[in-house]
Amino acid sequence: MHFEYNIEGGDFTRAGYASSQVKKLLKKQGVEMSVIKRTVVAAYEAEVNVVAHAYGGVMYVDLDDRQMRIVLQDTGPGIEDIQQAMEEGYSTASDAVREMGFGAGMGLSNMKKNAHELNIESEVGKGTRVEIIMQIA
Amino acid sequence: MNDNDPIVLAMQVKEIVQALELKVYSGEEGLDREVSGAYVSDLLSDVMGHADTGQLWITLQTHKNVMAIASLKDLAAVILVAGHKPAENTVEQSNEEGIPILGTLLSNFEISGRLYELIKNR
Ligand SMILES: Nc1ncnc2c1ncn2[C@@H]1O[C@H](COP(=O)(O)OP(=O)(O)OP(=O)(O)O)[C@@H](O)[C@H]1O
Ligand SMILES: [Mg+2]
């Protein structure tokens, strides 16, 4: 199965929609609750990063009997130093975004902790591609 | 509670509303939800990473993303502290999801202390 969800940069009112669809899908497939929880955390953090840091993007979801593969491809500023970005507490979020409670610099570490596999590629000035792989059976 | 009382493991949201005199802003349908504990934070990715199913979330954040997280994490309810009121679209989503938004005039410190007293022996 394949699904695609558009993510609008800067539109916080819709942030989390794609992840809620992922959650529904996994529930319908009868995937174990502990795996659903981990998937939801990783997907949400990746989705919000597109909203908070990029201009826009797409979440691609592929599901088969064994695994779920979630790819977030965005157009945006990209990440100069991915290793630094992964450090808990590192954030370039704007003041407005921080006021909402985002920008703790914990999103990428949440993704790392919860995804079974996490791959990040980024090109400065172009965009970022985040791949989350979850074993569901 | 005396020794002969049956052991009650979980409390419902509505019992906490009553005991702590909380205001119910929305999501009344969810007042029967069972509460497993609570998490106090105003940082959304902290809650995403550390809160767990069935917990109450104590915060001063009032925007719609609070409900997105409460729903994704299957939290029992949200408690807004210090008289903070939920935004209109936050209320809407709370009603749609059946996850209550509650309120208190107390600070996060005070309400957490009272809540802890209330549920620590359960
Ligand atoms: N899709 C992206 N495009 C551009 N930069 C990104 C993207 N994702 C992450 N970053 C960069 O990596 C930093 C760390 O990301 P991370 O998700 O860990 O924290 P945050 O988004 O700043 O705050 P939090 O996730 O705690 O709300 C960001 O502040 C930003 O500089
Ligand atoms: Mg983030």
Side-chain angles (χ1 to χ4, degrees):
Chain A
M1 278 184 279
H2 178 83
F3 302 87
E4 298 187 10
Y5 306 99
N6 278 314
I7 303 168
E8 196 74 46
D11 183 4
F12 282 94
T13 61
R14 279 179 57 85
Y17 175 77
S19 304
S20 72
Q21 296 306 109
V22 163
K23 183 183 175 187
K24 274 188 201 150
L25 183 60
L26 290 171
K27 271 191 155 173
K28 215 167 83 187
Q29 298 294 313
V31 172
E32 203 185 305
M33 212 45 221
S34 62
V35 177
I36 297 180
K37 284 188 195 180
R38 293 175 65 142
T39 311
V40 163
V41 172
Y44 177 79
E45 294 292 3
E47 181 180 356
V48 170
N49 275 356
V50 175
V51 177
H53 307 296
Y55 314 141
V58 183
M59 182 192 280
Y60 302 95
V61 178
D62 284 285
L63 179 71
D64 63 32
D65 294 342
R66 284 181 20 260
Q67 71 170 30
M68 179 178 256
R69 185 163 152 273
I70 303 170
V71 173
L72 291 104
Q73 178 76 60
D74 71 51
T75 50
I79 304 172
E80 211 172 276
D81 183 343
I82 293 174
Q83 217 175 321
Q84 180 185 42
M86 297 289 302
E87 276 171 27
E88 201 163 293
Y90 177 84
S91 175
T92 61
S94 67
D95 286 349
V97 168
R98 282 176 204 261
E99 226 159 81
M100 295 176 77
F102 295 106
M106 296 176 73
L108 285 169
S109 18
N110 279 348
M111 285 157 65
K112 182 87 199 156
K113 271 181 229 160
N114 286 281
H116 290 145
E117 194 184 321
L118 177 67
N119 301 303
I120 303 174
E121 288 161 28
S122 192
E123 200 175 331
V124 174
K126 285 242 166 90
T128 302
R129 180 183 183 276
V130 173
E131 181 185 49
I132 297 161
I133 294 174
M134 303 301 299
Q135 258 62 58
I136 61 167
Chain B
M1 215 194 272
N2 76 47
D3 290 348
N4 298 325
D5 283 341
I7 298 165
V8 183
L9 286 172
M11 250 179 139
Q12 286 183 322
V13 172
K14 63 183 170 205
E15 296 174 68
I16 289 166
V17 166
Q18 219 169 21
L20 300 180
E21 296 176 29
L22 302 175
K23 184 176 168 67
V24 179
Y25 286 112
S26 57
E28 284 83 357
E29 231 176 84
L31 289 172
D32 290 343
R33 283 171 176 265
E34 290 200 342
V35 175
S36 63
Y39 197 73
V40 192
S41 181
D42 302 321
L43 297 173
L44 304 196
S45 55
D46 177 33
V47 175
M48 206 59 209
H50 297 113
D52 206 356
T53 305
Q55 290 183 337
L56 295 168
W57 176 12
I58 298 171
T59 184
L60 53 67
Q61 298 291 353
T62 57
H63 53 81
K64 188 168 178 251
N65 295 91
V66 168
M67 286 319 301
I69 289 176
S71 159
L72 285 169
K73 299 286 289 183
D74 291 314
L75 302 182
V78 175
I79 301 179
L80 300 182
V81 298
H84 285 274
K85 293 185 177 62
E88 210 171 298
N89 55 6
T90 314
V91 165
E92 273 165 33
Q93 198 177 343
S94 158
N95 287 329
E96 278 163 27
E97 310 270 358
I99 300 177
I101 301 178
L102 314 171
T104 178
L105 293 173
L106 299 177
S107 72
N108 52 9
F109 172 68
E110 285 177 295
I111 195 68
S112 300
R114 291 187 197 190
L115 183 62
Y116 185 80
E117 277 304 313
L118 187 63
I119 64 180
K120 71 172 177 187
N121 294 320
R122 296 288 188 125

